Amino acid sequence: MTHPENIPAAEMENEVLALRKQNWVAPMDAVLRSLVEIPAAALVVAEVGVLLTGVVARYVFHQPLVWSDELASMLFLWLAMLGSVVAFQRGEHMRMTALVSKVQPSVRAFLDVVAICAALAFLLLLVEPAFEFASEESFITTPALEIPNVWRAAALPVGMGFMILSALLRLAEVGNWRLVLGAVSLVGLLVVGMVLLQPLFLGLGNLNLLVFFVGVVAAAVFAGVPIAFAFGLATAGYIALTTDTPMLVVVGRMDEGMSHLILLSVPLFVFLGQLIEMTGMARAMVAFLASLLGHVRGGLSYVLVGAMYLVSGISGSKAADMAAVAPVLFPEMRARGAKPGDLVALLSATGAQTETIPPSLVLITIGAVTGVSISALFTGGMLPGVVLGATLCAVVWWRYRGEDLSHVRRASRREIGRAFLISVPAIALPFLIRAAVIEGVATATEVSTIGIAYAVLVGLLVYRQFDWRRLGPMLVDTAALSGAILLIIGAATGMAWALTQSGFSASLASAMASLPGGAPVFLAISCVAFIILGSVLEGIPAIVLFGPLLFPIARQVGIHEVHYSMVVILAMGIGLFAPPFGVGYYAACAISRIHPDEGMRPIVGYVLALVVGLAVVAAVPWISIGFLG
């Protein structure tokens, strides 16, 4: 037994702090989580119910509910903010950790605390303007429900308040007060230093754009600060220190970015993706494809490419796609001798390949921020995924051309037929979703509710795999992922507004439009730019920030907006799923439970194939717009 006098003082102090944390932090954290997670899960259910009721009333009973969209919009901001709180409590806000993960553990621990302090600084800067914004909204009455808009706008200060409490609890959980004090001091000194430099900033003019939107954003992102808060800090600093604009405007722009009703399909499609996995629909589709191609050299790799294409057409969430497919295929692929590195490399590459498959969240986002027709994007996104899939299959054929299949039994026609019949209800879902949008049964936002209702019925009545115990955690997961995405969109909308007000967008448009070579050069530069942006900023932030700036230029040089959307999304997807910076690659590794180092070499060939496919899609506009009519 160790006596107290033999324990170092610092170690004893940490044990005492850990005990104190156990005594009061954990219960408080549990209470706070319950206060947020239960309403967030209920809001996901409420949104599904409101929108589905609106579809049924309009299409079946021909009695549109004039208040359904308005109520859905009010609930949506609450869902976005409470979901952001859940993501904050879980540490699930999107952040770039490629550099942070390479430093010493002690430095990494310090940077993790700095990230919490930086987020806390942003929230403290904006919580008072958020209250002011909500109080001003009390003078506005909603047209259909005729209630004060403060009931919707109050979500902003309430959500920020909960995140402030969560940040304080997370700091208390650290246990090492020296670490916390150091991080708080560093962030505080940086804030004070920026304030003291205000006279210098006032004389820099547009050079401030480099200071805040390049310097501050890059420093924060590479230090591991969640991307939404990095964007928010840069925008708030720029507005506060270089302009006379009140901070209230930043809150208003965030509200505008997060409240777009089209974005309501984000949480709904995320939830649909989880239902697909839970009900066994994804497993049924993969089993059918495996029965067709399991006996071919590299056959299960082809199945992986095809399964990701089909599942992407259902869920809209890449994490959900990979989580649905990998556990089904990887054990058998390993049994056939596939190396773990090649498995995770191909899984990551298919994530990039299927970014344009409707109803991709990126398609929905690009439609929301640029005004491009969602229906046109859904139609135009199918064939580019096929082209990139073909280039990946070419690499698979080359790598597995000598595979020994003597021990593999070919499925009989009876087995294939049985697998097909079992998979029909699952395979029908992507076609049902697309038909509902094209035939006008539901909007791109509402159609996800039809998919959810269909998945529930198929899970209960056909596959009989519906685990009611998983429903609650799935709803909370949906809120958390959606909140993380929507907070980035809100912060990036504020940043894009600040860039526009500074005149930067006009200067960029002029410079890009004057480039020699016209449309081909502009497309080539866009490909390179979005591969880099996709790896650094992740997909949705890059689209929200630069889409509104670059799409008008594309139109000006004569590029069809749907064609440009496909090129941009695929380029961004390559950056997002390619190491060393692409976070999508690390998500694939986490889902596969394979170390990232193992996939570094195998993925090179697949990334080159994706680049070739991207070049083909960029060079042949018909691939993207040939079926638009």
Side-chain angles (χ1 to χ4, degrees), residues 448-469:
S448 54
T449 63
I450 295 176
I452 289 169
Y454 179 86
V456 169
L457 289 174
V458 169
L460 288 171
L461 303 178
V462 179
Y463 296 120
R464 299 188 180 182
Q465 295 183 33
F466 200 94
D467 189 348
W468 292 98
R469 293 170 298 180

Side-chain angles (χ1 to χ4, degrees), residues 4-37:
E5 61 268 20
N6 296 328
I7 301 174
E11 201 172 309
M12 285 185 67
E13 184 182 359
N14 285 337
E15 286 185 13
V16 171
L17 286 169
L19 186 60
R20 286 178 183 170
K21 179 190 81 173
Q22 203 171 25
N23 287 340
W24 68 273
V25 176
M28 285 189 65
D29 186 55
V31 170
L32 188 60
R33 283 175 182 259
S34 298
L35 285 174
V36 177
E37 290 182 354

Side-chain angles (χ1 to χ4, degrees), residues 86 128 227 408 450 466 500:
V86 176
E128 185 181 349
I227 291 172
V408 176
I450 295 176
F466 200 94
T500 303

Side-chain angles (χ1 to χ4, degrees), residues 17 31 40 62 68 115 131 168 189 197 272 274 284 286 312 363 388 407-408 412 426 449 496 503 523 531 587:
L17 286 169
V31 170
H62 307 290
S68 61
F131 273 108
L168 294 173
L189 286 172
L197 288 173
L272 176 58
Q274 294 186 321
V286 170
S312 292
L363 285 179
L388 266 67
H407 61 289
V408 176
S412 66
T449 63
L523 278 173
I531 287 174

